[in-house]
């Protein structure tokens, strides 16, 4: 769970009151903060989770949740009332559950098919039945579906791996948890992950057997993920690369299954074994489960409002891979937002929509419902224009207020959040007032940091902006400093050190919000607006943006079209 930008999503889910971060911390066996050598905007938490413990932890949390009834069964149909809104859902056994809102979160199970070489069968992941009838019935009620593809790597028996030939990848000494409620003092890394690499022999085996690959033979028609391709796709696409990095990761503490991350494949079983045995440390590897590709149906997200409700079917929401995304984190983020909005709608309250300047969750959903996606969508920090504002370390400062207003953050947690916020502001104000004189002690400290000595008095906040000076190191000359929590010190250092850059992005975000505040009536007739190009009329009529800002981000709508639209609205 986690990784570049994905870790941001998990922390945002937690800040809003979602369960993923807490459950991940309860089942985590190794923590690593990625990109430590880069700026804080791209620091991303990634953790190896015990798969079965996480499943049991989350299931139990659901069973204990007040106001939630858990019922297991296969849904095969969504029934609508006379006005085209959700009326009920039907199980395979014929039971009908009356409801005014339903969320489709089918992952990769919707009419799914598993492919291993020449073999294929209708199945979901881990041999679970596919949701075939539901796919057919969703089409019948007007949901536009398309075909995507993803894959999973092989599982290897730990006992058969020669770890002496692998690179160790230890966890962090100082652990950052996913949840802002988790005490890092109680956490520890319980395993060590490893790295191995493909080689010329691996690539030769793949190239010699491409004629047997369903990916290149045409049997797989679904569109796969650009940023997480199969190993055979990597070898063909990046033919100039001598090797590809693979991550050797345990599935959990109570199993010997090892996950060979980066080695997903749809090659035949015998070819997969040759490929695996060509890897350093895997010469005698015992394959416990083959890698396989999986094709599945998913919805075109352009059919959705930013609330994730279908535009043409009231009360029907989509979430996760059903909306064309990849990964657990993107799925959880959408599930939370769809759930919040379904509940708010039934309560008669205003919908909850995060914009691009507030959260990666906002960027994710806006990209989906405004631009759509022709491949499984993966969140990356580069997708956000405001990534210095949307850091993983400040997700609570950005979103906890929303979570509290919605009702997902407890009063106790909210009180702790307000205390943290107050301590940060007080410490920043103190550093702004505190002036260091050009004394021998101060100059010696600066020289020890590799920084230039001062000749006049300088504010502590100005010294902290110097590249080689850290908040922790300044304790040597800051005699007034009081003891503060680590997360408070982290926020003080980042916000002071990057103040100029942050203020610049805040101004950009304010300009963005002005465009977002210019709302477009739902019933506007784009065909009647003189001056709009034909493509713009078609795209605007299909997507029906809620604001000028959203309209400006639609592919095929030019700045000139936006100007025409603004003049029309002003009239």
């Amino acid at each position: 769970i986690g990784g570049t930008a994905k870790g941001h999503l998990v922390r945002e889910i937690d800040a809003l009151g979602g369960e993923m971060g807490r459950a991940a911390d309860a089942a985590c066996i190794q923590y690593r903060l990625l990109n430590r050598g880069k700026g804080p905007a791209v620091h991303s938490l990634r953790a190896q989770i015990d798969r079965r413990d996480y499943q049991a932890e989350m299931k139990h949390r659901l069973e204990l949740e007040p106001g939630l009834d858990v019922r297991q069964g296969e849904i095969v149909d969504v029934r609508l009332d006379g006005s085209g809104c959700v009326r009920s859902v039907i199980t395979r056994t014929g039971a009908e559950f009356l409801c005014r809102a339903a969320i489709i979160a089918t992952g990769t199970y919707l009419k799914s098919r598993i492919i291993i070489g020449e073999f294929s069968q209708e199945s979901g992941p881990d041999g679970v039945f596919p949701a075939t009838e539901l796919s057919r019935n969703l089409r019948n009620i007007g949901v536009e579906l398309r075909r995507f593809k993803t894959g999973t790597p092989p599982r290897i028996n730990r006992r058969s791996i020669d770890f002496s030939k692998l690179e160790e990848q230890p966890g962090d000494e100082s652990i950052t948890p996913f949840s802002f409620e988790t005490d890092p003092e109680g956490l520890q890394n319980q395993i060590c992950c490893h790295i191995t690499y493909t080689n010329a022999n691996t690539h030769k085996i793949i190239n010699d057997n491409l004629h047997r690959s369903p990916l290149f033979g045409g049997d797989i028609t679904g569109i796969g993920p650009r940023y997480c391709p199969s190993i055979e796709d990597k070898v063909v696409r990046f033919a100039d690369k001598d090797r590809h990095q693979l991550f050797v990761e345990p599935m959990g503490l109570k199993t010997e299954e090892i996950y060979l991350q980066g080695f997903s494949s749809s090659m035949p079983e015998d070819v997969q074994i040759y490929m695996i045995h060509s890897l350093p440390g895997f010469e005698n590897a015992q394959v416990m489960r083959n890698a396989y590709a999986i094709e599945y149906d998913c919805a075109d997200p352009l059919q959705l409002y930013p609330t994730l409700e279908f535009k043409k079917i009231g009360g029907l929401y989509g979430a996760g891979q059903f909306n064309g995304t990849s990964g657990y984190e993107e799925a959880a983020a959408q599930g939370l937002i769809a759930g919040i909005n379904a509940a708010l709608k039934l309560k008669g309250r205003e919908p909850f929509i995060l914009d691009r300047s507030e959260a990666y969750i906002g960027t994710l959903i806006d990209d989906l419902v405004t631009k759509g996606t022709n491949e499984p969508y993966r969140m990356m920090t580069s997708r956000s224009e405001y990534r210095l504002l949307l850091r993983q370390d400040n997700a609570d400062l950005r979103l906890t207020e929303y979570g509290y207003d919605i009702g997902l953050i407890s009063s106790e947690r909210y009180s702790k959040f307000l205390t943290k916020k107050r301590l940060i502001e007080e410490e920043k104000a103190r550093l702004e007032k505190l002036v260091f004189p050009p004394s021998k002690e101060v100059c010696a400290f600066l020289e020890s940091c590799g920084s230039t000595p001062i000749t006049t008095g300088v504010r502590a906040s100005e010294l902290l902006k110097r590249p080689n000076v850290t908040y922790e190191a300044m304790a040597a000359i800051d005699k007034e400093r009081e003891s503060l929590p680590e997360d408070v010190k982290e926020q003080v250092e980042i916000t002071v050190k990057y103040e100029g850059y942050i203020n610049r992005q805040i101004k950009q975000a304010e300009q963005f919000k002005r465009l977002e505040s210019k709302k477009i009536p739902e019933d506007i007739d784009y065909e009647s607006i003189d001056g709009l190009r034909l493509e713009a009329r078609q795209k605007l009529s299909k997507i029906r943006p809620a604001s000028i800002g959203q309209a400006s981000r639609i592919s095929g709508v030019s700045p000139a079209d936006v100007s025409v639209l603004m003049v029309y609205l002003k009239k």
Side-chain angles (χ1 to χ4, degrees), residues 422-436 458-462 464 471 474-475 477-484 489 492 496:
R422 176 178 57 79
L423 290 174
I424 292 168
E425 293 307 316
E426 288 176 353
E427 181 63 359
K428 283 168 61 181
R430 186 186 74 84
L431 293 178
E432 190 65 31
K433 290 179 183 176
L434 177 63
V435 176
F436 289 119
V458 176
R459 287 193 183 95
S461 57
E462 290 303 314
L464 186 52
Y471 180 82
M474 270 176 49
I477 56 171
D478 186 355
K479 308 303 180 187
E480 299 177 13
R481 178 182 298 188
E482 295 181 6
S483 177
L484 291 170
K489 291 191 284 188
V492 170
V496 171

Side-chain angles (χ1 to χ4, degrees), residues 483-515:
S483 177
L484 291 170
E486 289 299 319
D487 56 349
V488 171
K489 291 191 284 188
E490 179 186 37
Q491 285 307 305
V492 170
E493 173 152 16
I494 292 173
T495 53
V496 171
K497 194 174 280 292
Y498 295 93
E499 183 182 31
Y501 299 103
I502 290 171
N503 287 339
R504 188 186 306 167
Q505 286 214 336
I506 288 173
K507 287 180 181 176
Q508 292 171 350
E510 287 170 351
Q511 186 178 4
F512 164 83
K513 283 181 180 292
R514 281 195 291 274
L515 288 175

Side-chain angles (χ1 to χ4, degrees), residues 208-238:
D208 288 348
N209 288 278
L210 283 179
H211 63 285
R212 297 185 65 196
S213 167
L215 186 64
F216 292 92
D219 187 38
I220 293 177
T221 58
I223 301 168
R226 178 196 306 257
Y227 301 103
C228 192
S230 65
I231 189 63
E232 56 264 36
D233 201 9
K234 283 186 210 173
V235 168
V236 171
R237 198 188 302 178
F238 307 106

Side-chain angles (χ1 to χ4, degrees), residues 52-86:
R52 294 302 176 205
D53 280 0
Y54 179 84
Q55 181 186 25
E57 179 74 25
M58 189 62 90
K59 180 173 180 287
H60 198 209
R61 285 169 180 268
L62 293 174
E63 292 164 348
L64 294 173
E65 183 65 32
L68 177 67
D69 296 327
V70 178
R71 172 67 183 258
Q72 299 180 44
E74 182 188 352
I75 299 298
V76 296
D77 199 4
V78 177
R79 298 275 171 87
L80 308 182
D81 61 20
S83 62
C85 296
V86 170

